Amino acid sequence: MASSVPALPDSFTPSSDSVYSDQFGFYSLDSNVPGLSKVILDKLNMKDYKEYRAALEGKGRVGFRSHKEMFQNLEETFKFCTCCSKLPSDLPDPKALKRCIKCLNVYYCSKDCQKKDWSLHKKFCKMLHKVSIDRLVEWLIHTGDLPFPTEAWSRPAKDIRCWDDWVSMQGDLTPRLDTILSGQNMTDLWTNACRPRPEEAELRKSVWRVCSEFFSRSLTLGLGIQMSRLDPYSRPLTVHLVGAGHNETLGARTTDMDELSHMFPGHQGLEVVMVGPEVVQGPIMRPPLRAFGPRGKVYISAYKGLYHQFWEEVVEKGEAAKPDLVVGFHPGFHASQGLGEGWLPTLLLLRDYNIPSLFTMYNDAELQYSLQILTELEMDVKDTGPNPFSSQKPEQVQSSPNKAPSYCNAFYIYFQGLLETQQEE
């Protein structure tokens, strides 16, 4: 379902003042490694940010002649000196950049830079080795090989408190993982990747980490349903996923939230509406339900636009159900003025309509900044802490890799309505 969204820039202009998180992301890349965002666009065979945005909106294409070219171009976007931030184009010999042989992730323009950086890099080298594998294995999400199929829950959702509990219900994962590891797409991946195929034990761990990120979304929604004390067995429920972008919607399938049906078997119907200006065209781009669908099914729909626009243009006109719960994965409203201004009407709407809301953060620093903003808006923050279903896949800051990793949905804030204050006597 489409709507009016903020206008695109006319040319490639990374900016800190935008409601588009990827445009702010390009700005952040250039702040650490000047020119890196242009390298990324070049390797995607795009002239500017406008073409990049158009491709995500289904109005253009990312063209690679082969899988080998695709993976090679991906690797090229990581080629800059981790110590001095020089790109290949900044060097007398563009081929002078050499990759760390241990992590196969970061590059250096000289032995001097590598020696100078080692005291810092050695703290993160092992972690960055995992990241370098995961970002390739993640391709198998888009081919349909991942995630692995899961079993119906044999225990009530309230008794499943962490990943270990969840895994214990899955039975023997070995046959399912063996099918993925021996599959043609896994073979093609390492035939064309710019590195040797890792050992099978490493690949199994990587597959699990990548799948944990995928399942983390459904399980975090389920956590929010339980925190809100909503009963999916007594009536159908509607969840609005605000700030949805390409992480949630690029290549998304209508079955991506089916783990919720394993979590709440026999539920009365669950609807997940993904809303955001960066929602990508695809099968989930369909209208929200006016009447609930079949029991025991999860229905995903999407709306391209800011949440307060969706509320005014669709919800208030009775064309979509009001939410029982609103969830936001890494809203990022703390990151810049542009993102903050884009989020303010939504935050005030959630507060003033007293809607139960669960937002997640990548790390503790983002959590603290977000709490500060919600406190300034006089939100009633009811609970906060580490998410027991955080992704297990470490995330690297591409332009500044030697930092502690972040994890998708690592922390949460649960809030609802306006904070009550005692009246002065």
Side-chain angles (χ1 to χ4, degrees), residues 12 37-46 48-49 52:
F12 170 70
S37 63
K38 190 65 170 67
V39 170
I40 292 173
L41 290 171
D42 287 344
K43 298 306 175 183
L44 290 171
N45 299 318
M46 296 176 179
D48 54 24
Y49 175 78
Y52 170 84

Side-chain angles (χ1 to χ4, degrees), residues 332-346:
F333 48 74
H334 72 290
S336 73
Q337 182 177 350
L339 291 174
E341 290 175 354
W343 271 100
L344 183 58
T346 291

Side-chain angles (χ1 to χ4, degrees), residues 19-72:
V19 297
Y20 292 108
S21 61
D22 51 15
Q23 191 177 13
F24 175 70
F26 282 170
Y27 172 85
S28 300
L29 288 173
D30 285 349
S31 297
N32 290 323
V33 183
L36 182 57
S37 63
K38 190 65 170 67
V39 170
I40 292 173
L41 290 171
D42 287 344
K43 298 306 175 183
L44 290 171
N45 299 318
M46 296 176 179
K47 292 184 298 185
D48 54 24
Y49 175 78
K50 187 175 182 179
E51 281 197 3
Y52 170 84
R53 197 67 248 159
L56 289 178
E57 307 211 5
K59 300 173 184 176
R61 296 183 63 186
V62 179
F64 297 112
R65 289 168 294 185
S66 64
H67 287 150
K68 193 171 190 68
E69 181 188 34
M70 179 181 70
F71 289 120
Q72 184 174 358

